[in-house]
Amino acid sequence: MKKPVATEKFELGVCYYPEHWPESMWEDDYRRMRELGFTIIRIGEFAWSIFEPAEGEFQFGLFDRAIDLAHKHGLQVVLGTPTATPPAWLTHKYPEVLNVTYEGVTLQHGMRRHYNYSSPKYRELCARITEQMAEHYGNHPGVVGWQIDNELNCEISEFYSESDHKAFRKWLQQKYVTLEQLNEAWGAVFWNQSYSDWSQVYLPRPTPSPKQPNPHQALDEKRFISDNTISFAKNQADIIRKLASKQWVTTNGLFGHLDSHELTDELLDFFSYDSYPQFSTIFYDPNERNPLNDRGWGLSLSVVRSISPNFCIMEQQSGPGGWVNRMDMPSPKPGQMRLWTYQSIAHGADMVLYFRWRTATMGNEIYWHGINDYHNQPNRRVREAGQIGQELAAAGQALIGTRNQANVAIVRDYANEWDGEYDVWHGPFMWKSNREWYKALQRKHIPNDVLYLRQKTKLEELARYDVLIYPHPAIMTDETASLLDEYAQQGGKLIFGCRTGYKDERGQCYMRPFPGAARDLCGITVEEFTMVKGSRQPTAISWSGATEGVTGADDFNDILRIEDDSVEVMAVYASDYYAGKPAVTRNRRGKGEVWYYGAVFNEQAASIIIEQIGLQSPVEWLVLPEDVELQVRNGTSSSYTFLLNYSEVPASIHLHETKTDLLSGTTLSGEITLEGFGVWVLY
């Protein structure tokens, strides 16, 4: 039985590093945390050399005092296993634990995450420190839960040490059994890559063309990294479950080459995430039209919700961020820290911890500001945190365990994500179309989930949604196509984009007309296709029906041929040699319908499809401007509607019914104004 994120109250807290500060400061820090309404802290995730200053010598005094004092002040403690930063004595004595780059360069001590998951010695030492800590703190009344490691696969998510090559070889032997089956799966006959002995098989290595491995080998590499990461985490989770069974287990972060759904299903009570909305504004596409900026971070939070419907934010942005040489984020404006906190809560968080209590005065993160500045004096962020603490102390319990309401899901899967990292003929399209659909849904105030298709996915999971948007699933098995057909037959609406269905699970192309496994679903074949790039000028799509207009046909064009009488042409190409040819189709399939859009989605095209399939906001009793996000969390007897204004300009809202703001207790009706960066939770 998995333990819930929170039960008695909403948990609000902060990441704290007692090892960074004189012990004389701790009590004042804890006192002020409680004054702000904080109930929980995270500690210890980078402190291995304090717990074990020399090999086999364990010391708990510093953290005993820190945890006892926190407990005295009514603060619960999340304890991190410190395996993200192995100490210098360890990496010096056992250099085989260090990670190695694709080019063969050994990564040295001096930062973090410089180890590999495959080293038997590293796993042994990680198990030992975890066992020592779990034995020591497993029954401590102040310790409520554990965070395994810190941000698995952050910084680097590729591993090429000798231990990794050996582990990959073993993983392949278990998967394929024989070299004949491996050679077949990898298409090794191409370019004479066939293997005659297992000792010849490695993870991808440098080739004459830089970073140009066999694409099927590269896909298996990502699958191996994910399985190996989960195995590494399991090494610690099993120990904690045995020795600290009353305390919950989680880990934090959403990073590449890791099936976080499987990780959570197998090992965790719930998933935790690190939410930094300003990443959306410093890592952005300058060519993107009409961006959502920090509001777009909700798409990542929707992914987190697909892993854990209720989750923890282990690190919530609370100030300007950045290391000394990168990630230099601006300071949040007044109200933005509160807005971003409720953004996380609106998307399903039942626990939020800010990063961090006080800004570090040393190290790479001296500019990653926390709630308190270096000087430790009152500031605007402290006051804003106090307001949030007061609100959640009074109202947060009502939200615990409520679930987000959505009738639409954007569909993803790990195989296409991992294959698409290397394959530019579909990978970049998925990320763009996800983003453009999210923008269109957001601006029409239609909440959506993200749904990951997995081998264990059942029809009941799909049937919860009226509409599924699966933009560019190049890899699609016949089994997946059959499941999606069942969904459509029973009344669902399914939307594909170009490059759908033409690869099998190995990443090899079917010898079938495109869209391969999805042909019967869509009732069309692809007559011809083209990249839209370089000197190839973009064309456009001309729509018919209730919503006429012309939209861009971005990045790639599938020219469609109608194969079944049940197919209706919804739009045609407007120019180039395929002008007048079908660009968008709708196939009646049982009680439902399947759309095929022959290009990469943009917001305008997504908006037209939304109108043509009759999607509407689930909340009919209010009228909102585009800049205000709407999310709904439902419980067994209550429903809470979150309104978040991402503009610093006040927003005019019209309520057709009288509602109460959960956070302030204010009664609202008619024409009302939500302040810039303001938040309401209406019921």
Side-chain angles (χ1 to χ4, degrees), residues 181-197:
Q181 292 188 75
L182 173 70
N183 285 328
E184 171 66 21
W186 285 9
V189 67
F190 185 81
W191 281 350
N192 199 34
Q193 296 177 26
S194 298
Y195 301 99
S196 58
D197 191 275

mmCIF file of all heavy atoms in Angstrom, residues 181-197:
data_model
loop_
_atom_site.group_PDB
_atom_site.id
_atom_site.type_symbol
_atom_site.label_atom_id
_atom_site.label_comp_id
_atom_site.label_asym_id
_atom_site.label_seq_id
_atom_site.Cartn_x
_atom_site.Cartn_y
_atom_site.Cartn_z
ATOM 1 N N GLN A 181 19.229 -12.802 -32.825
ATOM 2 C CA GLN A 181 18.092 -11.919 -32.558
ATOM 3 C C GLN A 181 18.545 -10.474 -32.351
ATOM 4 O O GLN A 181 17.858 -9.537 -32.754
ATOM 5 C CB GLN A 181 17.323 -12.418 -31.342
ATOM 6 C CG GLN A 181 16.602 -13.735 -31.584
ATOM 7 C CD GLN A 181 15.684 -14.120 -30.438
ATOM 8 O OE1 GLN A 181 14.610 -13.539 -30.292
ATOM 9 N NE2 GLN A 181 16.113 -15.074 -29.627
ATOM 10 N N LEU A 182 19.691 -10.274 -31.709
ATOM 11 C CA LEU A 182 20.230 -8.916 -31.562
ATOM 12 C C LEU A 182 20.540 -8.314 -32.931
ATOM 13 O O LEU A 182 20.165 -7.163 -33.213
ATOM 14 C CB LEU A 182 21.498 -8.943 -30.709
ATOM 15 C CG LEU A 182 22.249 -7.605 -30.619
ATOM 16 C CD1 LEU A 182 21.461 -6.604 -29.791
ATOM 17 C CD2 LEU A 182 23.639 -7.792 -30.034
ATOM 18 N N ASN A 183 21.230 -9.068 -33.785
ATOM 19 C CA ASN A 183 21.577 -8.565 -35.116
ATOM 20 C C ASN A 183 20.327 -8.197 -35.913
ATOM 21 O O ASN A 183 20.294 -7.194 -36.625
ATOM 22 C CB ASN A 183 22.398 -9.607 -35.876
ATOM 23 C CG ASN A 183 23.834 -9.687 -35.383
ATOM 24 O OD1 ASN A 183 24.410 -8.688 -34.957
ATOM 25 N ND2 ASN A 183 24.421 -10.879 -35.429
ATOM 26 N N GLU A 184 19.285 -8.994 -35.763
ATOM 27 C CA GLU A 184 18.030 -8.712 -36.460
ATOM 28 C C GLU A 184 17.398 -7.432 -35.928
ATOM 29 O O GLU A 184 16.945 -6.568 -36.699
ATOM 30 C CB GLU A 184 17.073 -9.899 -36.288
ATOM 31 C CG GLU A 184 15.651 -9.652 -36.771
ATOM 32 C CD GLU A 184 15.549 -9.457 -38.271
ATOM 33 O OE1 GLU A 184 16.470 -9.883 -39.008
ATOM 34 O OE2 GLU A 184 14.549 -8.864 -38.724
ATOM 35 N N ALA A 185 17.346 -7.287 -34.609
ATOM 36 C CA ALA A 185 16.719 -6.104 -33.996
ATOM 37 C C ALA A 185 17.455 -4.823 -34.348
ATOM 38 O O ALA A 185 16.845 -3.762 -34.511
ATOM 39 C CB ALA A 185 16.657 -6.283 -32.480
ATOM 40 N N TRP A 186 18.759 -4.903 -34.446
ATOM 41 C CA TRP A 186 19.565 -3.717 -34.741
ATOM 42 C C TRP A 186 19.784 -3.509 -36.235
ATOM 43 O O TRP A 186 20.463 -2.555 -36.627
ATOM 44 C CB TRP A 186 20.920 -3.819 -34.030
ATOM 45 C CG TRP A 186 20.844 -3.567 -32.559
ATOM 46 C CD1 TRP A 186 19.729 -3.427 -31.789
ATOM 47 C CD2 TRP A 186 21.959 -3.426 -31.669
ATOM 48 N NE1 TRP A 186 20.064 -3.212 -30.473
ATOM 49 C CE2 TRP A 186 21.438 -3.201 -30.375
ATOM 50 C CE3 TRP A 186 23.340 -3.483 -31.830
ATOM 51 C CZ2 TRP A 186 22.251 -3.020 -29.253
ATOM 52 C CZ3 TRP A 186 24.148 -3.302 -30.720
ATOM 53 C CH2 TRP A 186 23.611 -3.068 -29.442
ATOM 54 N N GLY A 187 19.244 -4.384 -37.073
ATOM 55 C CA GLY A 187 19.490 -4.250 -38.504
ATOM 56 C C GLY A 187 20.974 -4.254 -38.813
ATOM 57 O O GLY A 187 21.467 -3.518 -39.667
ATOM 58 N N ALA A 188 21.708 -5.117 -38.109
ATOM 59 C CA ALA A 188 23.173 -5.058 -38.144
ATOM 60 C C ALA A 188 23.760 -5.444 -39.492
ATOM 61 O O ALA A 188 24.942 -5.177 -39.761
ATOM 62 C CB ALA A 188 23.756 -5.945 -37.034
ATOM 63 N N VAL A 189 22.951 -6.038 -40.371
ATOM 64 C CA VAL A 189 23.449 -6.358 -41.695
ATOM 65 C C VAL A 189 23.780 -5.085 -42.470
ATOM 66 O O VAL A 189 24.618 -5.099 -43.376
ATOM 67 C CB VAL A 189 22.417 -7.229 -42.454
ATOM 68 C CG1 VAL A 189 21.150 -6.431 -42.763
ATOM 69 C CG2 VAL A 189 23.021 -7.800 -43.726
ATOM 70 N N PHE A 190 23.117 -3.974 -42.098
ATOM 71 C CA PHE A 190 23.406 -2.701 -42.755
ATOM 72 C C PHE A 190 24.798 -2.217 -42.343
ATOM 73 O O PHE A 190 25.144 -2.188 -41.173
ATOM 74 C CB PHE A 190 22.343 -1.666 -42.368
ATOM 75 C CG PHE A 190 22.479 -0.358 -43.093
ATOM 76 C CD1 PHE A 190 21.985 -0.221 -44.382
ATOM 77 C CD2 PHE A 190 23.119 0.719 -42.506
ATOM 78 C CE1 PHE A 190 22.118 0.975 -45.063
ATOM 79 C CE2 PHE A 190 23.259 1.923 -43.178
ATOM 80 C CZ PHE A 190 22.754 2.050 -44.465
ATOM 81 N N TRP A 191 25.611 -1.826 -43.323
ATOM 82 C CA TRP A 191 26.983 -1.370 -43.110
ATOM 83 C C TRP A 191 27.836 -2.429 -42.393
ATOM 84 O O TRP A 191 28.757 -2.089 -41.656
ATOM 85 C CB TRP A 191 27.017 -0.041 -42.361
ATOM 86 C CG TRP A 191 26.740 1.141 -43.243
ATOM 87 C CD1 TRP A 191 26.653 1.166 -44.598
ATOM 88 C CD2 TRP A 191 26.511 2.494 -42.807
ATOM 89 N NE1 TRP A 191 26.384 2.430 -45.051
ATOM 90 C CE2 TRP A 191 26.286 3.273 -43.974
ATOM 91 C CE3 TRP A 191 26.455 3.119 -41.568
ATOM 92 C CZ2 TRP A 191 26.031 4.644 -43.927
ATOM 93 C CZ3 TRP A 191 26.205 4.481 -41.513
ATOM 94 C CH2 TRP A 191 25.995 5.238 -42.672
ATOM 95 N N ASN A 192 27.443 -3.711 -42.564
ATOM 96 C CA ASN A 192 28.300 -4.801 -42.086
ATOM 97 C C ASN A 192 28.601 -4.700 -40.586
ATOM 98 O O ASN A 192 29.726 -4.896 -40.139
ATOM 99 C CB ASN A 192 29.618 -4.830 -42.884
ATOM 100 C CG ASN A 192 30.328 -6.168 -42.762
ATOM 101 O OD1 ASN A 192 29.696 -7.209 -42.672
ATOM 102 N ND2 ASN A 192 31.639 -6.143 -42.739
ATOM 103 N N GLN A 193 27.544 -4.414 -39.793
ATOM 104 C CA GLN A 193 27.726 -4.265 -38.348
ATOM 105 C C GLN A 193 27.450 -5.557 -37.575
ATOM 106 O O GLN A 193 27.440 -5.545 -36.345
ATOM 107 C CB GLN A 193 26.808 -3.148 -37.835
ATOM 108 C CG GLN A 193 27.135 -1.774 -38.398
ATOM 109 C CD GLN A 193 26.153 -0.716 -37.928
ATOM 110 O OE1 GLN A 193 25.542 -0.838 -36.870
ATOM 111 N NE2 GLN A 193 25.993 0.331 -38.719
ATOM 112 N N SER A 194 27.214 -6.647 -38.238
ATOM 113 C CA SER A 194 26.801 -7.879 -37.558
ATOM 114 C C SER A 194 27.857 -8.356 -36.555
ATOM 115 O O SER A 194 29.062 -8.279 -36.808
ATOM 116 C CB SER A 194 26.539 -8.978 -38.584
ATOM 117 O OG SER A 194 25.481 -8.604 -39.450
ATOM 118 N N TYR A 195 27.363 -8.887 -35.420
ATOM 119 C CA TYR A 195 28.225 -9.352 -34.337
ATOM 120 C C TYR A 195 28.272 -10.877 -34.322
ATOM 121 O O TYR A 195 27.244 -11.545 -34.501
ATOM 122 C CB TYR A 195 27.717 -8.825 -32.994
ATOM 123 C CG TYR A 195 27.668 -7.316 -32.932
ATOM 124 C CD1 TYR A 195 26.469 -6.626 -33.148
ATOM 125 C CD2 TYR A 195 28.822 -6.572 -32.672
ATOM 126 C CE1 TYR A 195 26.418 -5.241 -33.110
ATOM 127 C CE2 TYR A 195 28.782 -5.186 -32.635
ATOM 128 C CZ TYR A 195 27.578 -4.527 -32.858
ATOM 129 O OH TYR A 195 27.547 -3.154 -32.829
ATOM 130 N N SER A 196 29.456 -11.415 -34.067
ATOM 131 C CA SER A 196 29.618 -12.867 -34.001
ATOM 132 C C SER A 196 29.999 -13.350 -32.606
ATOM 133 O O SER A 196 30.093 -14.552 -32.367
ATOM 134 C CB SER A 196 30.684 -13.326 -35.008
ATOM 135 O OG SER A 196 31.926 -12.676 -34.751
ATOM 136 N N ASP A 197 30.225 -12.398 -31.676
ATOM 137 C CA ASP A 197 30.532 -12.758 -30.292
ATOM 138 C C ASP A 197 30.061 -11.613 -29.391
ATOM 139 O O ASP A 197 30.180 -10.429 -29.750
ATOM 140 C CB ASP A 197 32.043 -12.969 -30.112
ATOM 141 C CG ASP A 197 32.361 -13.599 -28.763
ATOM 142 O OD1 ASP A 197 32.476 -12.848 -27.762
ATOM 143 O OD2 ASP A 197 32.473 -14.836 -28.696
#
